[in-house]
Amino acid sequence: MNQTVFLPFYLGFLAWLCVFCVKAEDPYRFFTFEVTYGEISPLGVPQRGILINGQFPAPTIDCVTNDNVIVNVINKLDEPFLITWNGIKQRKTSWQDGVLGTNCPIPPNANWTYHMQMKDQIGSYSYFPSTKMHRASGGFGAINVRARAVIFVPYLKPVEEFTLLISDWWKSDHKVLSQILDSGKPLPMADGLLINGRPSSTSFTVQGGQLYMFRVSNVALTTSINFRIQNHTLTLVETEGSHTLQEAYESLDLHVGQSASFLVRLHAPVKDYFIVASTRFTKPTLTATGILHYDGSQTKASLPLPDGPTYHIHWSMKQARTIRWNLTANAARPNPQGSYHYGTIPVTRTVVLANSEANINGKLRYAVNQVSYVNPTTPLKIADFYNISGVFNVNSLKDTPPSFSPIYGVSVLGFTLHDYAEIVFQNNENTIQSWHLDGSDFWTVGFGSGVWNSTLRRRFYNLNDATTRHTVQVYPKSWSSILVSLDNKGMWNLRSAIWPRRYLGQELYIRIWNDEKSFHTEYDIPENALRCGLAPLK
């Protein structure tokens, strides 16, 4: 009798458990990206562009924190191809990072499926081709990761969001630009600037009195930009996954690879207004415009355009220091941002990385600590996983700038899982630099002029409320310093976001490692992983 009573209860409990487990799994979002050539005319001159699903710019990926995003990339180009997901951390799976140090490229007329989880992330990000100079012809798009309903965000909900991709542009396609660089010549200045693929006429219709969010990403190859909206104030609320103190700006600098989200209250008289992006630190200054169109407006936007800074290095550095973490806000992870006291954690290792222009065997190259990176035929991650010797050596790059002449090499810095590192980017050149780290975000603790030394920590470091980012600018003849918790095991690309520099060797890899083989720290090679070089067959 007891068994008869217990059986329905037991079966009911199992049914409830099954339903609970199904509901507990994070949602899946599926995308198919067909990559093709197509004719485009962003600057009025027909040229070959790289399209995704026939679109330029490429489609936006909209998702929610912890979503599983599955992207099947079909390569219809005549060259191997990869996409990297700028700022997506790829927790425990550098296999999905989409760079040549971790992935074999997708051959022509083949496909590969990325499986990514937006684990504990919110914010505005972007994606673009990581192979060769492909991104100079398109293939870039936005990634918008929104907070789950249970996560509080520290600002009023906007009535609508707009995504803006700002890029510099050349009238020559990626193959012509590659030939220029391969011949030993520097890339010429861009021919123009684009907002969502157009130099002008991109329009956003809004209702007066309402609150809107603008998600803005700098997907340029070489150029820092200043962003502003005529007669409107930008309230910064997020940079690359960090909620910020809600400072109001007339304009804000965004450097190559960076993203930000602004709230804009529509308080002006009903008419049209210019949205403006202009280049920084260039001669001449290039400008792209869009239109903020108030619903019901019969009046076109009128000149002059709102003024923006041009060179003004000190102005930009001073502004960068005003961007600060909102310590009272929740991040995508469960704990409040302010509970992580990054400034009190002991640093286990300091690395100083100096960028430089180099001449090797009569050819223009770019280097980090005098080593100009060359991709081996076998991805570093595959060589590491299968213990293939001769592909790379850990700590093949010096921790400080050496005195020897520039050389070719495969640069890898080895760290132990959970190391806490200070990385200083030293820029002794006259041009602005921008550096990006895959796999982790980091605290942008310091900016300063001249040559960095340890005494500058006390004077210039923000050890309380610096924002976390994935890309940091380094001003001419200056330094920038970051602190990073290396808690994501894998092989991660640290690169110049200035793409011609990266193309000609200004990058390296950070290997984060421990001897424990466990899915708690890193996943195995995916079953669908492509093979190349010395990688064993499946």
Side-chain angles (χ1 to χ4, degrees):
M1 181 68 179
N2 289 340
Q3 288 180 338
T4 304
V5 173
F6 179 74
L7 184 59
F9 171 80
Y10 178 70
L11 293 175
F13 174 76
L14 285 180
W16 174 85
L17 186 63
C18 290
V19 171
F20 176 81
C21 290
V22 169
K23 287 185 177 180
E25 186 175 12
D26 293 306
Y28 281 74
R29 296 178 188 264
F30 295 89
F31 300 86
T32 298
F33 281 5
E34 185 176 82
V35 185
T36 61
Y37 290 126
E39 185 177 290
I40 57 176
S41 304
L43 296 178
V45 177
Q47 62 186 115
R48 177 174 55 182
I50 293 177
L51 313 181
I52 293 183
N53 297 348
Q55 298 180 41
F56 171 79
T60 296
I61 292 178
D62 283 307
C63 55
V64 176
T65 299
N66 287 359
D67 278 358
N68 294 283
V69 174
I70 314 300
V71 186
N72 181 26
V73 177
I74 304 168
N75 179 18
K76 294 293 185 69
L77 305 184
D78 57 355
E79 299 176 303
F81 183 82
L82 279 173
I83 292 174
T84 192
W85 317 92
N86 202 45
I88 303 304
K89 293 181 186 177
Q90 311 292 2
R91 293 293 303 175
K92 300 190 290 185
T93 178
S94 56
W95 304 106
Q96 307 295 330
D97 200 27
V99 291
L100 290 175
T102 56
N103 297 86
C104 296
I106 306 167
N109 298 312
N111 75 297
W112 191 67
T113 301
Y114 293 84
H115 185 159
M116 304 173 284
Q117 188 177 26
M118 307 295 146
K119 184 67 175 173
D120 294 341
Q121 289 191 258
I122 53 174
S124 302
Y125 306 94
S126 61
Y127 66 87
F128 50 77
S130 67
T131 39
K132 299 190 176 183
M133 289 289 289
H134 288 135
R135 62 181 290 190
S137 291
F140 51 79
I143 305 173
N144 298 331
V145 186
R146 294 177 174 82
R148 290 176 292 166
V150 296
I151 299 175
F152 169 77
V153 292
Y155 49 80
L156 296 175
K157 184 178 179 180
V159 296
E160 193 173 354
E161 298 180 0
F162 300 118
T163 299
L164 291 82
L165 298 173
I166 302 175
S167 57
D168 47 18
W169 198 256
W170 285 256
K171 295 177 182 177
S172 302
D173 73 8
H174 66 280
K175 290 190 176 182
V176 174
L177 299 181
S178 296
Q179 290 170 1
I180 293 173
L181 293 170
D182 293 340
S183 72
K185 298 177 182 177
L187 200 68
M189 184 174 171
D191 295 310
L193 205 63
L194 308 178
I195 297 176
N196 288 355
R198 301 177 181 179
S200 59
S201 76
T202 299
S203 182
F204 304 92
T205 299
V206 295
Q207 298 283 339
Q210 298 296 327
L211 186 69
Y212 290 83
M213 175 177 281
F214 289 78
R215 296 179 179 268
V216 185
S217 293
N218 183 341
V219 294
L221 291 184
T222 65
T223 312
S224 297
I225 62 101
N226 179 268
F227 179 77
R228 52 203 183 272
I229 300 178
Q230 189 178 38
N231 289 7
H232 290 75
T233 298
L234 310 172
T235 300
L236 182 67
V237 295
E238 177 262 334
T239 56
E240 296 157 35
S242 286
H243 294 313
T244 62
L245 290 182
Q246 295 177 23
E247 297 284 347
Y249 296 92
E250 295 301 315
S251 70
L252 193 86
D253 283 352
L254 282 173
H255 305 279
V256 178
Q258 294 183 342
S259 299
S261 299
F262 305 97
L263 288 180
V264 179
R265 176 72 70 178
L266 279 301
H267 57 76
V270 175
K271 56 168 291 188
D272 291 357
Y273 298 90
F274 283 113
I275 298 169
V276 184
S278 58
T279 59
R280 296 285 271 115
F281 321 115
T282 65
K283 294 180 181 179
T285 299
L286 303 177
T287 301
T289 60
I291 297 297
L292 186 71
H293 172 71
Y294 274 60
D295 189 39
S297 167
Q298 301 296 319
T299 307
K300 292 184 178 181
S302 57
L303 296 173
L305 297 178
D307 289 334
T310 53
Y311 211 79
H312 307 105
I313 293 172
H314 179 71
W315 184 95
S316 185
M317 188 182 295
K318 185 177 179 180
Q319 184 188 70
R321 294 190 181 116
T322 68
I323 301 174
R324 297 157 60 201
W325 218 11
N326 186 337
L327 299 182
T328 63
N330 285 342
R333 55 185 179 273
N335 59 298
Q337 291 184 1
S339 69
Y340 201 87
H341 299 293
Y342 69 90
T344 64
I345 302 171
V347 170
T348 57
R349 183 175 172 188
T350 295
V351 177
V352 180
L353 300 175
N355 55 266
S356 61
E357 181 179 306
N359 185 301
I360 304 177
N361 299 330
K363 288 290 185 72
L364 172 67
R365 297 288 297 186
Y366 296 103
V368 185
N369 284 2
Q370 297 297 81
V371 180
S372 185
Y373 187 88
V374 179
N375 279 299
T377 57
T378 305
L380 307 184
K381 184 61 187 169
I382 287 180
D384 204 20
F385 184 80
Y386 288 112
N387 295 314
I388 301 170
S389 62
V391 177
F392 73 93
N393 293 314
V394 177
N395 292 327
S396 53
L397 193 74
K398 302 295 184 182
D399 279 11
T400 56
S403 58
F404 56 74
S405 298
I407 59 173
Y408 291 114
V410 180
S411 305
V412 178
L413 289 175
F415 288 87
T416 300
L417 184 64
H418 304 306
D419 274 355
Y420 193 69
E422 175 187 40
I423 301 177
V424 180
F425 299 99
Q426 179 65 52
N427 180 16
N428 298 322
E429 299 182 75
N430 290 318
T431 58
I432 190 164
Q433 309 298 326
S434 188
W435 285 91
H436 170 84
L437 175 62
D438 284 345
S440 300
D441 50 18
F442 48 71
W443 287 272
T444 53
V445 293
F447 305 93
S449 301
V451 177
W452 180 88
N453 65 73
S454 60
T455 66
L456 298 174
R457 295 178 183 131
R458 187 173 300 176
R459 292 175 55 201
F460 290 103
Y461 278 23
N462 176 357
L463 298 179
N464 298 308
D465 59 357
T467 55
T468 57
R469 306 191 76 133
H470 55 67
T471 304
V472 62
Q473 71 275 21
V474 194
Y475 295 98
K477 299 290 186 180
S478 300
W479 57 268
S480 296
S481 187
I482 66 172
L483 295 176
V484 56
S485 180
L486 299 171
D487 61 354
N488 194 10
K489 187 175 176 179
M491 187 76 69
W492 302 106
N493 193 214
L494 177 58
R495 61 178 176 262
S496 173
I498 311 295
W499 212 249
R501 286 180 164 263
R502 197 250 186 173
Y503 178 81
L504 290 180
Q506 207 159 82
E507 64 175 320
L508 61 132
Y509 281 83
I510 288 180
R511 180 184 186 256
I512 304 173
W513 184 254
N514 69 353
D515 289 331
E516 176 190 9
K517 186 173 176 58
S518 168
F519 288 166
H520 291 294
T521 56
E522 186 179 30
Y523 299 135
D524 262 344
I525 186 170
E527 291 184 2
N528 70 336
L530 299 173
R531 303 300 204 273
C532 57
L534 300 175
L537 298 176
K538 296 180 182 180

